[in-house]
Amino acid sequence: MDVTLKLNSLDVSSILSAYQVVKEVTYQKIITTMDNVEHPIPAPDRTLVRFSLFPMTDEGAAALYDVLALRTVSVTYTDPYIGEELVKNMRLNSSLEAAFGLKSVDGNRYYKGGTIEMRQN
């Protein structure tokens, strides 16, 4: 299946090494009644997009870092559950420091190959 992944206008579809879309199910509250039965009150489902990329050029890594440093971006992605492209505002849900390291003393950063996770707002 061909997938699309764009962070704002930065298209990283062609350099994806791993790609996963997860529907996160959470609960606002769980109420336990006197008969010890739990009754969950669901929160809206959120989409998580997890991905990693093949090695990048210095220019590509800098562009990716700049986009992710914004923390909240418009993400265009392929949802494998429905086979369609969707556009949602998402925030960075992983550490930039874990995914990027300093290349040299001039402050340039390079992508280390870790997993990056975006979470729907």
Side-chain angles (χ1 to χ4, degrees):
M1 175 175 175
D2 289 332
V3 296
T4 298
L5 182 60
K6 293 180 187 174
L7 308 168
N8 283 346
S9 61
L10 180 65
D11 190 348
V12 295
S13 306
S14 63
I15 55 173
L16 287 171
S17 64
Y19 178 80
Q20 180 184 32
V21 175
V22 177
K23 300 294 182 183
E24 178 185 58
V25 178
T26 58
Y27 300 97
Q28 292 175 351
K29 243 184 231 192
I30 297 178
I31 298 172
T32 304
T33 53
M34 291 175 61
D35 58 357
N36 205 29
V37 175
E38 292 184 345
H39 303 275
I41 300 172
D45 291 351
R46 302 280 186 205
T47 300
L48 302 174
V49 177
R50 295 181 186 130
F51 64 95
S52 59
L53 305 166
F54 288 115
M56 308 172 75
T57 63
D58 291 346
E59 183 180 293
L64 177 63
Y65 184 86
D66 290 345
V67 168
L68 293 175
L70 297 172
R71 303 286 191 223
T72 300
V73 298
S74 174
V75 178
T76 304
Y77 67 98
T78 301
D79 186 333
Y81 298 106
I82 59 175
E84 294 180 13
E85 275 187 23
L86 301 173
V87 178
K88 295 190 178 175
N89 285 328
M90 295 189 173
R91 65 180 166 81
L92 181 65
N93 203 37
S94 56
S95 169
L96 271 181
E97 290 76 20
F100 287 85
L102 287 176
K103 184 171 185 174
S104 62
V105 293
D106 66 1
N108 289 332
R109 297 187 177 270
Y110 70 97
Y111 173 63
K112 296 192 306 189
T115 300
I116 298 169
E117 181 176 274
M118 304 300 291
R119 183 179 190 274
Q120 179 184 349
N121 289 337

